Amino acid sequence: MIEEFLDGEEMTILSFVSEPDYLTMVPSQDHKPVFDGDRGPNTGGMGAYSPVPHLEKWLSEIEKMIIDPMVKGLQKENIYFQGILYTGLMITKEEPKVVEFNVRFGNPEAQVIRPRLQNDLLEILEASTEGNLHSIKLTWKQDVCICVILTSGGYPGEYKTGSPISGLKPGVDDLVFYAGTEIFGTKLVTNGGRVLNVSSLGGNPAQARTQTYELLQNIHFENLHYRTDIASKAL
Ligand code: GLY
């Protein structure tokens, strides 16, 4: 088997789909490799940001050449789909290329898209199940959202679990999403590779990035690892 190596920048487009309608969400960029500078093995995602200003010139082409034909293709094949279509792209020098499709939100893409969505998510999902997606107009905060993932050192290889987590302020830091965590007795402890997702919204990429990295400085557990360069391509 010969595979084409796709060199470029990743971009994710999530769409609400309720055939024949679909609504494309704002783009985001994930950071898969575990270390700064895109080094080391790939993970499920070490951080993301939205919008992705330097790649947005491709959006109309992606919709016309990839998402629209995908939804029409499903219809043609009599595959009735209502849900979230995840389009994972590599933006090469020549053009956007599809890396993968999934039928779910992205992780950590959802953690930067959801905070920017101004609509009521439940209304969109209800409209989708009722075949009324065309009645919805998506509106988005202009703010930039950045998410940094706090992982257990060693992930995506072997890592330790059960380390106590301190410094969280539930109800105050409302954009800290719990992932690989569990309550053990009365303590919150690590229970996975990707432990916490720390997001924040800011007026521009620099502000959102500073806020996110300041917020995560308060959080501690043994062998905590995170990338320090999330969204640097947007700056
Ligand atoms: N972040 C990649 C994925 O959700 O598949």
Side-chain angles (χ1 to χ4, degrees):
M1 183 194 286
I2 297 177
E3 291 185 332
E4 183 182 355
F5 177 74
L6 296 177
D7 192 16
E9 275 195 53
E10 284 196 38
M11 184 158 74
T12 304
I13 305 287
L14 302 171
S15 315
F16 295 103
V17 180
S18 176
E19 286 172 30
D21 304 322
Y22 66 92
L23 296 172
T24 297
M25 300 181 224
V26 285
S28 58
Q29 186 172 65
D30 188 10
H31 299 60
K32 298 257 170 41
V34 69
F35 299 124
D36 285 3
D38 286 337
R39 288 179 303 112
N42 266 1
T43 66
M46 295 295 291
Y49 65 97
S50 173
V52 192
H54 60 295
L55 298 181
E56 294 203 353
K57 62 174 186 221
W58 292 106
L59 289 181
S60 57
E61 183 169 333
I62 290 167
E63 191 155 327
K64 201 167 107 209
M65 303 300 290
I66 298 169
I67 297 171
D68 196 68
M70 179 65 177
V71 175
K72 290 203 169 92
L74 288 171
Q75 273 181 281
K76 210 168 140 200
E77 305 263 331
N78 289 322
I79 300 169
Y80 186 59
F81 178 58
Q82 283 179 322
I84 309 294
L85 180 67
Y86 171 117
T87 308
L89 302 152
M90 187 65 79
I91 312 296
T92 68
K93 273 202 201 88
E94 297 82 37
E95 60 183 354
K97 305 238 179 168
V98 176
V99 177
E100 58 180 336
F101 286 111
N102 294 303
V103 286
R104 56 168 173 78
F105 280 101
N107 175 13
E109 290 93 330
Q111 292 91 307
V112 295
I113 297 292
R114 179 65 190 91
R116 294 191 60 212
L117 180 66
Q118 287 182 310
N119 306 62
D120 182 336
L121 180 62
L122 188 58
E123 271 175 25
I124 304 173
L125 300 180
E126 277 176 351
S128 177
T129 58
E130 289 160 4
N132 276 331
L133 200 52
H134 50 266
S135 67
I136 301 279
K137 184 176 170 354
L138 297 180
T139 56
W140 300 96
K141 288 185 185 152
Q142 289 304 307
D143 292 343
V144 176
C145 192
I146 294 185
C147 175
V148 177
I149 310 297
L150 308 190
T151 66
S152 302
Y155 168 81
E158 278 182 30
Y159 54 84
K160 190 181 154 209
T161 58
S163 304
I165 304 170
S166 63
L168 289 163
K169 295 192 202 115
V172 179
D173 299 330
D174 60 349
L175 291 182
V176 177
F177 303 98
Y178 295 33
T181 63
E182 73 168 345
I183 307 274
F184 188 74
T186 55
K187 281 199 179 119
L188 184 74
V189 299
T190 62
N191 187 33
R194 290 191 289 171
V195 178
L196 293 159
N197 312 272
V198 180
S199 294
S200 58
L201 284 162
N204 57 55
Q207 191 190 33
R209 197 170 187 237
T210 304
Q211 280 170 205
T212 310
Y213 280 107
E214 275 177 10
L215 183 57
L216 66 81
Q217 294 303 325
N218 304 322
I219 304 169
H220 304 280
F221 55 85
E222 200 186 338
N223 268 336
L224 187 162
H225 168 72
Y226 59 88
R227 275 183 64 160
T228 64
D229 63 347
I230 301 303
S232 57
K233 291 189 184 111
L235 289 171

